Amino acid sequence: MAMIEWTKLTSDEIQTVDKTLPVIVPVGLVEAHGPHLTLGLDIDTAVYFARSVAENTGAILAPAIHYGFADEMKEYPGTVGIAAETLSLVVYDISCMFCFHGFKKIIYLSGHGANRIGC
């Protein structure tokens, strides 16, 4: 089964995609993890697992949301995130756009535990 990656499609191609397929949106956070891990770990983890699920199920892989809810780690150098309320609005707006285009099953796969506050 071939994986469908949203950003690799043209406008014409997206119109032919089965609208009953779920769309998976990875959500991460640019966050400090100490000297041994990168700031993009949460993003990389979310994208990795979202891609794996899409490849194995036929779901559509949407682009990642890189800026998640910056909670207790916001004081550490390199952490860049958004408020929970802002993340909620971003998720809402993205969901509305997918629904507007006929896709009704949207799954947000988070690589950062605190993102659940905003979703």
Side-chain angles (χ1 to χ4, degrees), residues 4-37:
I4 302 169
E5 194 165 350
W6 191 274
T7 58
K8 305 296 184 201
L9 299 173
T10 65
S11 297
D12 289 342
E13 290 171 331
I14 203 68
Q15 292 180 35
T16 66
V17 172
D18 180 358
K19 307 261 186 305
T20 65
L21 292 173
V23 178
I24 303 174
V25 182
V27 185
L29 172 65
V30 178
E31 176 184 43
H33 290 95
H36 61 298
L37 296 171

Side-chain angles (χ1 to χ4, degrees), residues 76-98:
Y76 291 90
T79 299
V80 180
I82 56 179
E85 296 80 13
T86 305
L87 181 58
S88 295
L89 291 171
V90 168
V91 167
Y92 175 80
D93 284 351
I94 290 171
S95 297
C96 286
M97 287 300 296
F98 281 122

